[in-house]
Amino acid sequence: MANFTFLNLDEETRKLMLDEINSDISNGKLYLSNRLNQNGKDNYQNYLLESVENGDEETFTNLLIQSSNFNDTEIVQGKSKKVPSNAASLLCQSEFNRYYIRAICLRAMNQNQDEVKIYRGRESSWTRPESEVLIGTSLNATDLLEDLRNSIGISPQLFPEINSGLTIKI
């Protein structure tokens, strides 16, 4: 899976990402995938914080796959299924991107900008037409931030599926 290009990932964005993560931790809202085993749940927070401080979504993925952090199987629609081999990458890319988007919304608001713009942050061999049509469109930063803060572990209402490869810029 290709990596993201985060156009506004700098020290200011990282600080805001950390603030958002720490807020979720303090409020008991940090998303922990059911695919994570107890070891993964114990390590997840530290790996996420380390990746935001010193790396990116690839760093996060590498930390999470370095030891046994995932269940072998999961229950889907009442049936046991093997956890996909790309589970770490899917989780890490989506959650890193989610906090990046939240931080960019905050940056825009801090700069008195009402809107943020969608762009393709990760190339894909197959793109959804409904995602492609959104590239270049603008979203209200305040509304998007609120939506992402309230849609922990589920797809947000205002943004395409978080694993679409789309992200935002100021």
Side-chain angles (χ1 to χ4, degrees), residues 9 19 23 66-67 94:
L9 185 59
D19 290 347
S23 174
Q66 73 184 358
S67 58
S94 66

Side-chain angles (χ1 to χ4, degrees), residues 32-45:
L32 294 174
S33 171
N34 289 330
R35 291 178 169 175
L36 293 169
N37 60 25
Q38 191 57 53
N39 189 57
K41 289 177 181 179
D42 292 344
N43 291 321
Y44 182 84
Q45 173 181 316

Side-chain angles (χ1 to χ4, degrees), residues 41-86:
K41 289 177 181 179
D42 292 344
N43 291 321
Y44 182 84
Q45 173 181 316
N46 291 333
Y47 291 164
L48 175 59
L49 291 167
E50 170 67 23
S51 300
V52 169
E53 288 174 2
N54 302 305
D56 55 22
E57 82 286 2
E58 184 178 20
T59 306
F60 190 18
T61 301
N62 289 335
L63 288 169
L64 207 54
I65 62 174
Q66 73 184 358
S67 58
S68 178
N69 288 299
F70 284 88
N71 294 311
D72 293 327
T73 60
E74 63 181 327
I75 303 298
V76 178
Q77 297 177 342
K79 296 182 181 178
S80 180
K81 294 180 82 172
K82 187 176 182 332
V83 170
S85 60
N86 64 345

Side-chain angles (χ1 to χ4, degrees), residues 3 10 12 19 25 28 41 61 68 72 74 101 103 121-123 144 147 167:
N3 293 334
D10 58 17
E12 182 180 354
D19 290 347
I25 292 167
K41 289 177 181 179
T61 301
S68 178
D72 293 327
E74 63 181 327
I101 293 170
R122 183 190 72 222
E123 292 305 318
L144 179 56
D147 184 28
T167 193

Side-chain angles (χ1 to χ4, degrees), residues 58-154:
E58 184 178 20
T59 306
F60 190 18
T61 301
N62 289 335
L63 288 169
L64 207 54
I65 62 174
Q66 73 184 358
S67 58
S68 178
N69 288 299
F70 284 88
N71 294 311
D72 293 327
T73 60
E74 63 181 327
I75 303 298
V76 178
Q77 297 177 342
K79 296 182 181 178
S80 180
K81 294 180 82 172
K82 187 176 182 332
V83 170
S85 60
N86 64 345
S89 181
L90 290 171
L91 175 63
C92 294
Q93 285 191 356
S94 66
E95 290 306 297
F96 194 95
N97 189 29
R98 185 181 294 263
Y99 285 108
Y100 171 80
I101 293 170
R102 286 169 60 171
I104 297 305
C105 287
L106 285 167
R107 280 187 73 168
M109 293 162 54
N110 291 344
Q111 296 171 13
N112 295 317
Q113 293 180 352
D114 293 334
E115 296 185 330
V116 291
K117 190 168 282 202
I118 296 175
Y119 73 96
R120 176 154 298 286
R122 183 190 72 222
E123 292 305 318
S124 176
S125 59
W126 181 80
T127 58
R128 294 183 178 118
E130 59 270 24
S131 294
E132 288 301 300
V133 73
L134 295 173
I135 294 172
T137 62
S138 296
L139 295 172
N140 180 279
T142 304
D143 293 345
L144 179 56
L145 176 61
E146 190 68 24
D147 184 28
L148 288 171
R149 284 177 172 168
N150 291 321
S151 58
I152 306 296
I154 59 173

